[in-house]
Amino acid sequence: MTETLVRPLKAGLIGAGIQASLTPAMHMAEGAAQGLRYVYELIDLREIDATENDLPRLLADAERQGFAGVNITHPCKQAVIAHLDDLAPDAQRLGAVNTVVLKGGRRHGHNTDWWGFAEGFRRGLPDADLSFAVQLGAGGAGVATAYAALSLGLKRLAVFDREPERAQSLAEMLTALFPEADISAGTDLAAAMRSASGLIHATPTGMANYPGLPLDGDLLDPRHWVAEIVYFPLETALLKEARRRGCRTLDGGGMAVFQAVGAFRLFTGLEPDAARMLNHFKAMTG
């Protein structure tokens, strides 16, 4: 046991505005519980005056420092792919990476976001009506949440994004993967919400740096379930408004924990204790 305790392992998170992230604490606590000396660092683009264009340098720095891997978050989940050596099948299908394993001089891209969202959804909204959902956001996180929802059996999906061409691109990609589902880029959010059974929110709106609601609260109806990806704060303005209007809700905690479960497994080669990580997350978020 003493020998195991001194075994070093380094990992990190690359993204913008990530100072409030609980990912380092989740990884390091689980590492300690498994006898690892685990150091997990934040590489915040805002703090170091960098952008996604600096990914080649940041990845090379991580390799030089002996990192086992890095997690990738907004706004780098798609941009990072150009700098990797290979992609796991899920990352290849989604065109988005949130976990990069650095091993043997190569960079291996994975996506644990989609499984994280799916697992959180299964547990938090087990009997949700999956006939028709609206999704806000078609970026890296939105790719994962849409893929997860369709994998869970969602029959119809309308994707909305501030960049309509991005929503269209995601709809086309998902249609190829799920030809039995009706997937489209939305054009009329109000009309879609009137028909939808649920809402998936996959943009940064609601985070400390992006306050506010991602849509008009009047579009929410008690029949809707609302699934959020933002977890800091855990109680976003969207969830607060949705609950006020009688909606069933799912916070972003499940996705945060279960994507970390998957990344921990990839970085360490050890099987994480998901229940322990969930409990630790709950303790941190009160």
Side-chain angles (χ1 to χ4, degrees):
M1 185 66 176
T2 304
E3 186 177 332
T4 309
L5 283 169
V6 297
R7 176 184 166 197
L9 189 141
K10 281 186 175 181
L13 172 65
I14 298 175
I18 55 176
Q19 292 303 301
S21 173
L22 299 181
T23 297
M26 282 193 285
H27 276 259
M28 289 190 288
E30 182 60 19
Q34 299 219 23
L36 292 178
R37 183 159 60 85
Y38 193 164
V39 178
Y40 190 110
E41 301 177 5
L42 289 179
I43 305 166
D44 192 330
L45 301 182
R46 289 185 181 167
E47 297 292 312
I48 60 175
D49 194 25
T51 70
E52 53 264 47
N53 294 327
D54 293 292
L55 280 168
R57 173 176 62 82
L58 297 175
L59 290 168
D61 286 348
E63 287 172 321
R64 277 194 296 272
Q65 294 176 53
F67 279 43
V70 288
N71 283 125
I72 306 292
T73 191
H74 177 77
C76 302
K77 291 182 180 184
Q78 291 161 321
V80 75
I81 291 176
H83 312 295
L84 305 180
D85 294 301
D86 56 62
L87 297 176
D90 51 2
Q92 180 77 53
R93 285 191 293 267
L94 274 65
V97 163
N98 79 310
T99 303
V100 177
V101 175
L102 303 173
K103 189 174 182 180
R106 294 179 66 80
R107 303 167 180 174
H108 310 273
H110 299 262
N111 190 302
T112 67
D113 275 337
W114 82 266
W115 179 80
F117 183 80
E119 188 66 16
F121 195 98
R122 276 194 293 264
R123 293 175 181 230
L125 293 171
D127 55 353
D129 179 351
L130 294 177
S131 57
F132 176 28
V134 165
Q135 176 169 297
L136 305 180
V143 172
T145 55
Y147 184 89
L150 290 160
S151 296
L152 290 171
L154 182 66
K155 295 178 176 59
R156 182 181 171 202
L157 175 68
V159 181
F160 291 80
D161 194 272
R162 288 179 180 176
E163 300 176 29
E165 63 278 8
R166 191 159 70 161
Q168 183 62 42
S169 176
L170 177 56
E172 291 172 1
M173 182 269 277
L174 291 169
T175 295
L177 295 174
F178 299 93
E180 72 286 358
D182 178 0
I183 306 164
S184 63
T187 55
D188 186 335
L189 180 58
M193 288 297 291
R194 282 195 294 271
S195 302
S197 53
L199 172 70
I200 299 169
H201 175 234
T203 84
T205 303
M207 293 173 64
N209 294 316
Y210 304 93
L213 285 170
L215 80 171
D216 185 340
D218 287 338
L219 298 181
L220 297 170
D221 184 90
R223 75 176 183 281
H224 292 134
W225 51 260
V226 177
E228 173 71 274
I229 66 159
V230 173
Y231 75 88
F232 200 90
L234 203 56
E235 172 84 343
T236 61
L238 173 62
L239 293 185
K240 193 175 295 184
E241 183 66 13
R243 279 197 284 271
R244 189 179 75 80
R245 293 173 179 268
C247 303
R248 296 173 61 208
T249 62
L250 177 71
D251 64 47
M255 183 178 184
V257 172
F258 290 110
Q259 66 79 23
V261 165
F264 183 95
R265 185 184 293 119
L266 289 166
F267 290 159
T268 68
L270 300 172
E271 187 58 34
D273 185 325
R276 182 166 57 206
M277 292 181 74
L278 267 173
N279 288 336
H280 183 231
F281 179 86
K282 289 174 183 174
M284 289 190 293
T285 55

